[in-house]
Amino acid sequence: MNPNCNHYYNIVEKVSSLTGQWPYQKSRTRLLGLCLVTLSTFSMIVPQMAKLVKCDGNLECIFQTLTAYLLTIVTLVKLYTCYFNRCKMKTLVDQLFVEWDELKTPEEYEIMRRYAENGRRYSLGYSLYIFTSTYLFMCVSLIPQLLDVVMPLNESRPILPAHPGHYFVDERKYFYYIFSHAIVAWEIAVTGIVAHDCMLLTFVEYICSIFTLVGVRLERLTSKHADAANKSLHSRKIDTYHNQIAFSVHTHQKALRYAQLLEDTFSTTLAVQVALNTVMISITLLQITQENSDIFIATRYVVYVAAQLIHLFYLSFEGQKLIDHSLQTRNKIYNSSWYEIPPKSQRMLLFVMQKTLQPVFLTAGKVYIFSLESFTTILQTSMSYFTVLSSLE
């Protein structure tokens, strides 16, 4: 690994190491982290399933429980995606460090540094947002307890559970025990979500940086610097053009292979996540609009749906970025002084342009393409499901 770039990936490494998803960990350490998150998640699934049974067919109760239950399913899907694809994950992580050793100029280093820093900044912001949202969602249940102390009524206010679940005990008597379990277990569980998403974000930013490098290298083929260094012999000029284009083509192919590996690793599980997120948004909106929902429940679900939308927007934004960067290479070639290079080298550029006619996608199950346009489609679909569920009520 290049020690100069470790700083840019330390957040992803630390978060993923906590959940056993970092491929360089020892097998025993990885298994320990995986078991911790899995047990924490199942400790919430059990009371959720008990709550579903206790609902006894009441749709309002079932929908309320499903919002949390589906999130635990998403947590497990994300967690085991990385764990069962260890070889692919190791290849993806390895490439993050390899490309730094092949940089030629300070300009190229600055490009890699900028994208790696973006990935680090996005990962930090996303992590803080998810952990904070989870904490706020849980802490809303404390408000009725605090109001009973500050503004007491003739009778205690109704208990607002930390999350939908049935613990087989008196919820009022053991409220703080249940609350402590919920907040600890959920924070551990969402660490698996954060690790998965931050790694995916980092990989996409890396691919975008490679596409940018290819574009810059092809753009400067006929730069004054290159001409001055090689104007002694015409044959040497041709060799230089040929080598530079060949090196750019090799880098471009590397980016395409990396993108394909990323697609093979995450595509299937992303399809499950998108489907579940669409249903969760619809059900959460239904919870917000319930006529008998009080302000505390509505506030809690506003926080919840905001986190879901941020999660989907994050995936869509990175998918759109990948599409845009994969297409910009042909524009870089077209805007360069390609007409000044020898015909043989021009023909090599045609092969590169042909490869860039088809954009690179991040998909869910080879069907749904992550982009900003698709994000609006998800919102429309969620609203349609919400309308249907409202009619059932």
Side-chain angles (χ1 to χ4, degrees), residues 299-377:
T299 301
R300 162 181 280 181
Y301 284 107
V302 166
V303 173
Y304 192 34
V305 77
Q308 294 168 358
L309 291 175
I310 290 293
H311 172 257
L312 278 177
F313 178 79
Y314 145 80
L315 293 175
S316 301
F317 175 76
E318 289 300 313
Q320 184 66 56
K321 199 169 184 179
L322 184 61
I323 294 172
D324 294 341
H325 280 73
S326 65
L327 290 175
Q328 74 177 5
T329 306
R330 64 183 180 186
N331 297 329
K332 295 284 187 180
I333 297 174
Y334 183 79
N335 292 329
S336 68
S337 302
W338 54 268
Y339 44 83
E340 296 182 7
I341 66 177
K344 182 179 179 180
S345 298
Q346 291 180 18
R347 287 192 291 271
M348 291 181 64
L349 288 177
L350 290 177
F351 290 108
V352 182
M353 293 191 71
Q354 185 178 11
K355 281 286 188 181
T356 59
L357 291 177
Q358 181 64 34
V360 175
F361 299 116
L362 177 64
T363 71
K366 310 292 184 181
V367 176
Y368 175 86
I369 298 174
F370 286 99
S371 65
L372 295 180
E373 181 180 358
S374 299
F375 175 71
T376 60
T377 303

Coordinates of all heavy atoms in Angstrom, one line a residue, residues 299-377:
T299 N -42.9 13.3 14.3 CA -41.5 13.9 14.3 C -40.5 12.7 14.1 O -39.6 12.8 13.3 CB -41.2 14.6 15.6 OG1 -42.1 15.7 15.8 CG2 -39.8 15.1 15.6
R300 N -40.7 11.6 14.8 CA -39.9 10.5 14.6 C -39.8 10.0 13.2 O -38.7 9.7 12.6 CB -40.3 9.4 15.5 CG -39.8 8.0 15.2 CD -40.3 6.9 16.1 NE -39.5 7.0 17.4 CZ -39.7 6.1 18.4 NH1 -40.7 5.2 18.3 NH2 -39.0 6.2 19.4
Y301 N -41.0 9.9 12.5 CA -41.0 9.3 11.2 C -40.5 10.3 10.1 O -40.1 9.9 9.0 CB -42.4 8.8 10.9 CG -42.6 7.4 11.6 CD1 -43.5 7.3 12.7 CD2 -41.9 6.3 11.1 CE1 -43.7 6.1 13.3 CE2 -42.1 5.1 11.8 CZ -43.0 5.0 12.9 OH -43.1 3.8 13.5
V302 N -40.6 11.6 10.4 CA -40.0 12.6 9.5 C -38.5 12.4 9.5 O -37.9 12.4 8.4 CB -40.4 14.0 10.0 CG1 -39.5 15.1 9.3 CG2 -41.9 14.3 9.7
V303 N -37.9 12.2 10.7 CA -36.5 11.9 10.7 C -36.1 10.6 10.0 O -35.1 10.6 9.2 CB -36.0 11.8 12.2 CG1 -34.5 11.3 12.3 CG2 -36.2 13.1 12.9
Y304 N -37.0 9.6 10.1 CA -36.8 8.3 9.5 C -36.8 8.4 7.9 O -36.0 7.9 7.2 CB -37.8 7.4 10.0 CG -37.6 5.9 9.6 CD1 -36.3 5.4 9.6 CD2 -38.6 5.0 9.4 CE1 -36.0 4.1 9.3 CE2 -38.4 3.7 9.1 CZ -37.1 3.2 9.1 OH -36.9 1.9 8.8
V305 N -37.9 9.1 7.4 CA -38.0 9.2 6.0 C -36.9 10.1 5.4 O -36.5 9.9 4.2 CB -39.4 9.7 5.6 CG1 -39.6 11.2 5.8 CG2 -39.8 9.3 4.2
A306 N -36.5 11.1 6.1 CA -35.4 11.9 5.6 C -34.1 11.1 5.5 O -33.4 11.3 4.5 CB -35.2 13.1 6.6
A307 N -33.8 10.2 6.4 CA -32.7 9.4 6.4 C -32.8 8.4 5.2 O -31.8 8.2 4.5 CB -32.5 8.6 7.7
Q308 N -33.9 7.9 4.9 CA -34.1 7.0 3.8 C -33.9 7.8 2.4 O -33.3 7.2 1.5 CB -35.5 6.4 3.8 CG -35.8 5.5 5.0 CD -37.2 5.2 5.1 OE1 -38.1 5.6 4.4 NE2 -37.5 4.3 6.1
L309 N -34.4 9.0 2.4 CA -34.2 9.8 1.1 C -32.8 10.1 0.9 O -32.3 10.1 -0.2 CB -35.1 11.0 1.2 CG -36.6 10.8 1.1 CD1 -37.4 12.1 1.3 CD2 -37.0 10.2 -0.2
I310 N -32.1 10.5 2.0 CA -30.7 10.8 1.9 C -29.9 9.6 1.4 O -29.0 9.7 0.6 CB -30.1 11.3 3.3 CG1 -30.7 12.7 3.6 CG2 -28.6 11.3 3.3 CD1 -30.2 13.8 2.7
H311 N -30.2 8.4 1.9 CA -29.6 7.2 1.5 C -29.7 6.9 0.0 O -28.8 6.6 -0.7 CB -30.2 6.0 2.3 CG -29.7 4.7 1.9 ND1 -30.5 3.8 1.2 CD2 -28.5 4.0 2.1 CE1 -29.8 2.7 0.9 NE2 -28.6 2.8 1.4
L312 N -31.0 7.1 -0.5 CA -31.2 6.8 -1.9 C -30.6 7.9 -2.8 O -30.0 7.6 -3.8 CB -32.7 6.8 -2.2 CG -33.4 5.4 -1.9 CD1 -34.9 5.6 -2.2 CD2 -32.8 4.3 -2.7
F313 N -30.6 9.2 -2.3 CA -30.0 10.2 -3.0 C -28.5 10.0 -3.1 O -27.9 10.3 -4.2 CB -30.3 11.6 -2.4 CG -29.7 12.8 -3.1 CD1 -30.2 13.3 -4.3 CD2 -28.5 13.3 -2.6 CE1 -29.6 14.3 -4.9 CE2 -27.9 14.4 -3.3 CZ -28.5 14.9 -4.4
Y314 N -27.9 9.6 -2.1 CA -26.5 9.3 -2.1 C -26.1 8.3 -3.1 O -25.1 8.5 -3.9 CB -26.1 8.9 -0.7 CG -25.0 7.8 -0.6 CD1 -23.6 8.2 -0.7 CD2 -25.3 6.5 -0.3 CE1 -22.7 7.2 -0.6 CE2 -24.3 5.6 -0.2 CZ -23.0 5.9 -0.4 OH -22.0 4.9 -0.3
L315 N -26.8 7.2 -3.2 CA -26.5 6.2 -4.2 C -26.8 6.7 -5.6 O -26.0 6.5 -6.6 CB -27.4 5.0 -4.0 CG -27.2 4.2 -2.7 CD1 -28.2 3.0 -2.6 CD2 -25.7 3.6 -2.7
S316 N -27.9 7.5 -5.8 CA -28.2 8.1 -7.1 C -27.2 9.1 -7.6 O -26.8 9.2 -8.7 CB -29.6 8.7 -7.1 OG -30.6 7.7 -6.7
F317 N -26.8 9.9 -6.6 CA -25.8 11.0 -7.0 C -24.5 10.3 -7.4 O -23.9 10.8 -8.4 CB -25.5 11.8 -5.7 CG -24.5 12.9 -5.9 CD1 -24.7 14.0 -6.7 CD2 -23.2 12.7 -5.4 CE1 -23.7 15.0 -6.9 CE2 -22.2 13.6 -5.5 CZ -22.4 14.8 -6.3
E318 N -24.0 9.3 -6.7 CA -22.8 8.6 -7.1 C -22.9 7.9 -8.4 O -22.0 7.9 -9.3 CB -22.3 7.6 -6.0 CG -21.8 8.3 -4.8 CD -20.6 9.2 -5.0 OE1 -19.7 8.8 -5.7 OE2 -20.6 10.3 -4.5
G319 N -24.1 7.3 -8.7 CA -24.4 6.7 -10.0 C -24.3 7.7 -11.1 O -23.8 7.4 -12.2
Q320 N -24.9 8.8 -10.9 CA -24.9 9.9 -11.9 C -23.5 10.4 -12.2 O -23.1 10.6 -13.3 CB -25.8 11.1 -11.4 CG -26.0 12.2 -12.5 CD -26.7 11.7 -13.7 OE1 -27.8 11.3 -13.6 NE2 -26.1 11.9 -14.9
K321 N -22.7 10.5 -11.1 CA -21.4 10.9 -11.3 C -20.5 9.9 -12.1 O -19.7 10.3 -12.9 CB -20.7 11.1 -9.9 CG -19.5 12.0 -9.8 CD -19.1 12.3 -8.4 CE -17.9 13.2 -8.3 NZ -17.5 13.6 -6.9
L322 N -20.8 8.7 -11.9 CA -20.1 7.6 -12.6 C -20.5 7.7 -14.1 O -19.6 7.6 -15.0 CB -20.5 6.3 -12.1 CG -19.8 5.0 -12.7 CD1 -18.3 5.1 -12.5 CD2 -20.3 3.8 -12.1
I323 N -21.7 7.9 -14.4 CA -22.2 8.1 -15.8 C -21.5 9.2 -16.5 O -21.0 9.1 -17.6 CB -23.7 8.2 -15.9 CG1 -24.4 6.9 -15.4 CG2 -24.2 8.5 -17.3 CD1 -25.9 7.0 -15.3
D324 N -21.5 10.4 -15.8 CA -20.9 11.6 -16.4 C -19.4 11.5 -16.6 O -18.9 11.9 -17.7 CB -21.2 12.8 -15.4 CG -22.7 13.1 -15.3 OD1 -23.5 12.7 -16.2 OD2 -23.1 13.8 -14.3
H325 N -18.7 10.9 -15.7 CA -17.3 10.8 -15.9 C -16.9 9.7 -16.9 O -15.9 9.9 -17.6 CB -16.6 10.4 -14.5 CG -16.4 11.5 -13.6 ND1 -17.5 12.1 -12.9 CD2 -15.3 12.2 -13.2 CE1 -17.0 13.1 -12.2 NE2 -15.7 13.2 -12.4
S326 N -17.7 8.7 -17.1 CA -17.4 7.7 -18.1 C -17.6 8.3 -19.5 O -17.0 7.8 -20.5 CB -18.3 6.5 -17.9 OG -19.6 6.7 -18.1
L327 N -18.5 9.3 -19.6 CA -18.8 9.9 -21.0 C -17.9 11.0 -21.3 O -17.7 11.4 -22.5 CB -20.3 10.4 -21.0 CG -21.4 9.3 -21.0 CD1 -22.7 9.9 -20.9 CD2 -21.3 8.4 -22.3
Q328 N -17.2 11.6 -20.3 CA -16.5 12.8 -20.5 C -15.2 12.5 -21.3 O -14.6 13.4 -21.9 CB -16.1 13.5 -19.2 CG -15.0 12.8 -18.4 CD -14.7 13.6 -17.2 OE1 -15.3 14.6 -16.8 NE2 -13.7 13.1 -16.4
T329 N -14.7 11.2 -21.3 CA -13.5 10.9 -22.0 C -13.5 11.2 -23.5 O -12.6 11.7 -24.1 CB -13.1 9.4 -21.8 OG1 -13.1 9.1 -20.4 CG2 -11.8 9.0 -22.4
R330 N -14.7 10.9 -24.1 CA -14.8 11.1 -25.5 C -14.8 12.6 -25.8 O -14.3 13.1 -26.9 CB -16.1 10.5 -26.1 CG -17.4 11.1 -25.5 CD -18.6 10.3 -26.1 NE -19.8 10.8 -25.5 CZ -21.0 10.3 -25.8 NH1 -21.1 9.2 -26.5 NH2 -22.1 10.8 -25.2
N331 N -15.4 13.4 -24.9 CA -15.3 14.9 -25.1 C -13.9 15.4 -24.9 O -13.5 16.4 -25.6 CB -16.3 15.5 -24.0 CG -17.7 15.1 -24.2 OD1 -18.2 14.9 -25.3 ND2 -18.4 15.1 -23.1
K332 N -13.1 14.8 -24.0 CA -11.8 15.2 -23.9 C -10.9 15.0 -25.1 O -10.1 15.8 -25.5 CB -11.1 14.5 -22.7 CG -11.7 14.8 -21.3 CD -11.3 16.1 -20.8 CE -11.7 16.4 -19.4 NZ -11.3 17.7 -18.8
I333 N -11.2 13.8 -25.7 CA -10.5 13.5 -27.0 C -10.9 14.4 -28.1 O -10.0 14.9 -28.8 CB -10.8 12.0 -27.4 CG1 -10.3 11.0 -26.3 CG2 -10.2 11.7 -28.7 CD1 -10.6 9.6 -26.6
Y334 N -12.2 14.7 -28.2 CA -12.7 15.5 -29.3 C -12.2 17.0 -29.1 O -11.8 17.6 -30.1 CB -14.2 15.5 -29.3 CG -14.8 16.3 -30.4 CD1 -14.9 15.8 -31.7 CD2 -15.3 17.6 -30.2 CE1 -15.4 16.6 -32.7 CE2 -15.9 18.4 -31.2 CZ -15.9 17.8 -32.5 OH -16.5 18.6 -33.5
N335 N -12.0 17.4 -27.9 CA -11.6 18.8 -27.7 C -10.1 19.0 -27.7 O -9.5 20.1 -27.7 CB -12.1 19.3 -26.3 CG -13.6 19.5 -26.3 OD1 -14.2 19.8 -27.3 ND2 -14.2 19.2 -25.1
S336 N -9.3 17.8 -27.8 CA -7.9 17.9 -27.8 C -7.5 18.2 -29.3 O -8.3 18.2 -30.2 CB -7.3 16.6 -27.4 OG -7.6 15.5 -28.3
S337 N -6.2 18.5 -29.5 CA -5.6 18.7 -30.8 C -5.3 17.4 -31.5 O -4.1 17.2 -31.9 CB -4.4 19.6 -30.7 OG -4.8 20.9 -30.1
W338 N -6.3 16.5 -31.6 CA -6.0 15.2 -32.2 C -5.6 15.2 -33.6 O -4.9 14.3 -34.1 CB -7.3 14.3 -32.1 CG -8.5 15.0 -32.7 CD1 -9.4 15.8 -32.1 CD2 -8.9 14.9 -34.1 NE1 -10.4 16.2 -33.0 CE2 -10.1 15.7 -34.2 CE3 -8.4 14.3 -35.2 CZ2 -10.7 15.9 -35.4 CZ3 -9.1 14.5 -36.4 CH2 -10.2 15.2 -36.5
Y339 N -5.9 16.3 -34.3 CA -5.5 16.5 -35.7 C -4.0 16.7 -35.9 O -3.5 16.7 -37.0 CB -6.4 17.6 -36.4 CG -6.4 18.8 -35.5 CD1 -5.4 19.8 -35.5 CD2 -7.5 19.0 -34.7 CE1 -5.5 20.9 -34.7 CE2 -7.6 20.2 -33.9 CZ -6.6 21.1 -33.9 OH -6.7 22.2 -33.1
E340 N -3.3 17.0 -34.8 CA -1.9 17.3 -34.9 C -1.0 16.1 -34.8 O 0.2 16.2 -35.0 CB -1.5 18.4 -33.9 CG -2.2 19.7 -34.1 CD -1.7 20.7 -33.1 OE1 -0.8 20.4 -32.3 OE2 -2.3 21.9 -33.0
I341 N -1.6 15.0 -34.3 CA -0.9 13.8 -34.1 C -0.9 12.9 -35.4 O -1.7 13.1 -36.3 CB -1.4 13.0 -32.9 CG1 -2.8 12.4 -33.2 CG2 -1.4 13.8 -31.7 CD1 -3.3 11.6 -32.1
P342 N 0.1 12.0 -35.6 CA 0.2 11.2 -36.8 C -1.1 10.3 -37.0 O -1.8 10.0 -36.0 CB 1.4 10.2 -36.5 CG 2.2 11.0 -35.5 CD 1.2 11.7 -34.6
P343 N -1.4 10.0 -38.2 CA -2.7 9.3 -38.6 C -2.8 7.9 -37.8 O -3.8 7.5 -37.4 CB -2.6 9.0 -40.1 CG -1.7 10.2 -40.6 CD -0.7 10.5 -39.5
K344 N -1.6 7.2 -37.7 CA -1.6 6.0 -37.0 C -2.1 6.1 -35.5 O -2.9 5.3 -35.0 CB -0.2 5.3 -37.0 CG -0.2 4.0 -36.3 CD 1.2 3.4 -36.4 CE 1.3 2.0 -35.7 NZ 2.7 1.5 -35.7
S345 N -1.7 7.2 -34.9 CA -2.1 7.4 -33.5 C -3.6 7.9 -33.5 O -4.3 7.6 -32.5 CB -1.2 8.5 -32.9 OG 0.1 8.1 -32.8
Q346 N -4.0 8.6 -34.5 CA -5.4 9.0 -34.6 C -6.3 7.8 -34.6 O -7.4 7.8 -34.0 CB -5.6 9.9 -35.8 CG -5.0 11.3 -35.7 CD -5.3 12.1 -37.0 OE1 -6.2 11.8 -37.8 NE2 -4.5 13.1 -37.2
R347 N -5.9 6.8 -35.4 CA -6.7 5.6 -35.4 C -6.8 4.9 -34.1 O -7.9 4.3 -33.7 CB -6.2 4.6 -36.5 CG -6.4 5.1 -37.9 CD -6.1 3.9 -38.9 NE -4.6 3.7 -38.9 CZ -3.8 4.3 -39.8 NH1 -4.2 5.2 -40.6 NH2 -2.5 3.9 -39.7
M348 N -5.8 5.0 -33.3 CA -5.9 4.4 -31.9 C -6.9 5.1 -31.1 O -7.6 4.5 -30.3 CB -4.5 4.5 -31.3 CG -3.4 3.5 -31.9 SD -1.9 3.7 -31.0 CE -2.3 3.0 -29.4
L349 N -7.0 6.5 -31.3 CA -7.9 7.2 -30.5 C -9.4 6.9 -30.8 O -10.3 7.0 -30.0 CB -7.7 8.7 -30.8 CG -6.5 9.4 -30.2 CD1 -6.4 10.8 -30.6 CD2 -6.5 9.2 -28.6
L350 N -9.6 6.4 -32.1 CA -10.9 6.0 -32.5 C -11.4 4.8 -31.7 O -12.6 4.7 -31.3 CB -11.0 5.7 -34.0 CG -10.8 6.8 -34.9 CD1 -10.8 6.3 -36.4 CD2 -12.0 7.8 -34.8
F351 N -10.5 3.9 -31.3 CA -10.9 2.8 -30.5 C -11.3 3.2 -29.1 O -12.2 2.6 -28.5 CB -9.7 1.8 -30.5 CG -9.5 1.1 -31.8 CD1 -8.3 1.4 -32.5 CD2 -10.4 0.1 -32.2 CE1 -8.1 0.7 -33.7 CE2 -10.1 -0.5 -33.5 CZ -9.0 -0.2 -34.2
V352 N -10.6 4.2 -28.6 CA -10.9 4.7 -27.3 C -12.3 5.4 -27.3 O -13.1 5.1 -26.4 CB -9.9 5.7 -26.8 CG1 -10.2 6.2 -25.4 CG2 -8.5 5.1 -26.8
M353 N -12.5 6.2 -28.3 CA -13.8 6.9 -28.4 C -15.0 5.9 -28.6 O -16.1 6.1 -28.1 CB -13.8 7.8 -29.6 CG -12.9 9.0 -29.4 SD -13.1 10.3 -30.6 CE -14.7 11.0 -30.1
Q354 N -14.7 4.8 -29.3 CA -15.7 3.8 -29.5 C -16.1 3.2 -28.1 O -17.3 2.8 -27.9 CB -15.3 2.7 -30.5 CG -16.3 1.7 -30.8 CD -15.8 0.6 -31.8 OE1 -14.6 0.6 -32.1 NE2 -16.8 -0.2 -32.3
K355 N -15.1 2.9 -27.3 CA -15.4 2.4 -26.0 C -16.2 3.3 -25.1 O -16.9 2.9 -24.2 CB -14.0 2.0 -25.3 CG -13.4 0.7 -25.7 CD -14.2 -0.5 -25.2 CE -13.5 -1.8 -25.5 NZ -14.2 -2.9 -24.9
T356 N -16.0 4.6 -25.3 CA -16.7 5.6 -24.4 C -18.1 6.0 -24.9 O -18.7 6.8 -24.3 CB -15.8 6.9 -24.3 OG1 -15.6 7.4 -25.7 CG2 -14.5 6.6 -23.7
L357 N -18.5 5.4 -26.0 CA -19.9 5.7 -26.5 C -20.9 5.2 -25.5 O -22.0 5.8 -25.4 CB -20.1 5.1 -27.9 CG -19.3 5.8 -29.0 CD1 -19.5 5.0 -30.3 CD2 -19.6 7.2 -29.2
Q358 N -20.6 4.1 -24.9 CA -21.5 3.5 -23.9 C -21.1 3.9 -22.5 O -20.0 3.6 -22.1 CB -21.5 2.0 -24.1 CG -22.5 1.2 -23.1 CD -23.9 1.6 -23.4 OE1 -24.3 1.8 -24.5 NE2 -24.8 1.6 -22.3
P359 N -22.0 4.6 -21.8 CA -21.6 5.0 -20.4 C -21.5 3.8 -19.5 O -22.1 2.8 -19.7 CB -22.7 6.0 -20.0 CG -23.9 5.5 -20.8 CD -23.3 5.1 -22.1
V360 N -20.8 4.0 -18.4 CA -20.7 3.0 -17.3 C -21.8 3.3 -16.3 O -22.0 4.4 -15.8 CB -19.3 3.1 -16.7 CG1 -19.2 2.1 -15.5 CG2 -18.2 2.7 -17.7
F361 N -22.5 2.2 -15.9 CA -23.6 2.4 -15.0 C -23.3 1.6 -13.7 O -22.6 0.7 -13.6 CB -24.9 1.8 -15.6 CG -25.4 2.4 -16.8 CD1 -25.4 1.7 -18.0 CD2 -25.7 3.8 -16.8 CE1 -25.8 2.3 -19.2 CE2 -26.2 4.4 -18.0 CZ -26.2 3.6 -19.2
L362 N -23.9 2.1 -12.6 CA -24.1 1.4 -11.4 C -25.6 1.0 -11.3 O -26.4 1.9 -11.3 CB -23.7 2.2 -10.2 CG -23.9 1.6 -8.8 CD1 -22.9 0.4 -8.6 CD2 -23.6 2.6 -7.7
T363 N -25.9 -0.3 -11.3 CA -27.2 -0.7 -11.4 C -27.7 -1.6 -10.2 O -26.8 -2.0 -9.4 CB -27.5 -1.6 -12.7 OG1 -26.8 -2.9 -12.6 CG2 -26.9 -0.9 -13.9
A364 N -29.0 -1.7 -10.1 CA -29.6 -2.6 -9.1 C -30.2 -3.8 -9.9 O -31.2 -3.6 -10.5 CB -30.6 -1.9 -8.3
G365 N -29.5 -4.9 -9.8 CA -30.0 -6.1 -10.5 C -30.1 -6.0 -12.0 O -30.9 -6.6 -12.7
K366 N -29.2 -5.2 -12.6 CA -29.1 -5.0 -14.1 C -30.4 -4.3 -14.6 O -30.5 -4.3 -15.9 CB -28.8 -6.3 -14.8 CG -27.7 -7.1 -14.2 CD -26.3 -6.5 -14.4 CE -25.2 -7.4 -14.0 NZ -23.9 -6.8 -14.1
V367 N -31.2 -3.9 -13.8 CA -32.5 -3.3 -14.3 C -32.6 -1.8 -14.0 O -32.9 -1.0 -14.8 CB -33.7 -4.1 -13.6 CG1 -35.0 -3.4 -14.0 CG2 -33.7 -5.5 -14.0
Y368 N -32.4 -1.5 -12.7 CA -32.5 -0.1 -12.2 C -31.1 0.6 -12.3 O -30.2 0.0 -11.8 CB -33.1 -0.1 -10.8 CG -33.1 1.3 -10.2 CD1 -34.2 2.2 -10.4 CD2 -32.0 1.8 -9.4 CE1 -34.2 3.4 -9.8 CE2 -32.1 3.0 -8.8 CZ -33.2 3.9 -9.0 OH -33.2 5.1 -8.5
I369 N -31.0 1.7 -13.0 CA -29.8 2.4 -13.1 C -29.8 3.6 -12.1 O -30.7 4.4 -12.1 CB -29.6 3.0 -14.5 CG1 -29.5 1.8 -15.5 CG2 -28.4 3.8 -14.6 CD1 -29.5 2.3 -17.0
F370 N -28.8 3.7 -11.3 CA -28.7 4.7 -10.3 C -28.3 6.0 -11.0 O -27.2 6.2 -11.6 CB -27.7 4.4 -9.2 CG -28.1 3.4 -8.3 CD1 -27.7 2.0 -8.4 CD2 -29.0 3.7 -7.2 CE1 -28.2 1.1 -7.5 CE2 -29.4 2.8 -6.3 CZ -29.0 1.4 -6.5
S371 N -29.2 7.0 -11.0 CA -28.9 8.3 -11.5 C -29.9 9.3 -10.8 O -30.9 8.8 -10.2 CB -29.1 8.3 -13.0 OG -30.5 8.1 -13.4
L372 N -29.7 10.6 -11.1 CA -30.6 11.5 -10.5 C -32.0 11.4 -11.1 O -33.0 11.7 -10.4 CB -30.1 12.9 -10.7 CG -28.8 13.2 -9.9 CD1 -28.3 14.7 -10.2 CD2 -28.9 13.0 -8.4
E373 N -32.1 11.1 -12.3 CA -33.4 10.9 -13.0 C -34.2 9.7 -12.3 O -35.4 9.7 -12.1 CB -33.3 10.6 -14.5 CG -34.6 10.5 -15.2 CD -34.4 10.2 -16.7 OE1 -33.2 10.3 -17.2 OE2 -35.4 10.0 -17.4
S374 N -33.4 8.6 -12.1 CA -34.0 7.4 -11.4 C -34.4 7.7 -10.0 O -35.4 7.1 -9.5 CB -33.0 6.3 -11.5 OG -32.7 5.9 -12.8
F375 N -33.7 8.6 -9.4 CA -34.1 9.0 -8.0 C -35.5 9.6 -8.0 O -36.3 9.3 -7.1 CB -33.1 10.0 -7.4 CG -33.4 10.6 -6.1 CD1 -33.4 9.7 -5.0 CD2 -33.8 11.9 -5.9 CE1 -33.7 10.2 -3.7 CE2 -34.1 12.4 -4.7 CZ -34.1 11.5 -3.6
T376 N -35.8 10.4 -8.9 CA -37.2 11.0 -9.0 C -38.2 9.9 -9.3 O -39.3 10.0 -8.8 CB -37.2 12.1 -10.1 OG1 -36.9 11.6 -11.4 CG2 -36.3 13.2 -9.8
T377 N -37.8 8.9 -10.1 CA -38.7 7.8 -10.4 C -39.0 7.0 -9.1 O -40.2 6.6 -8.9 CB -38.1 6.9 -11.4 OG1 -37.7 7.6 -12.6 CG2 -39.0 5.7 -11.8

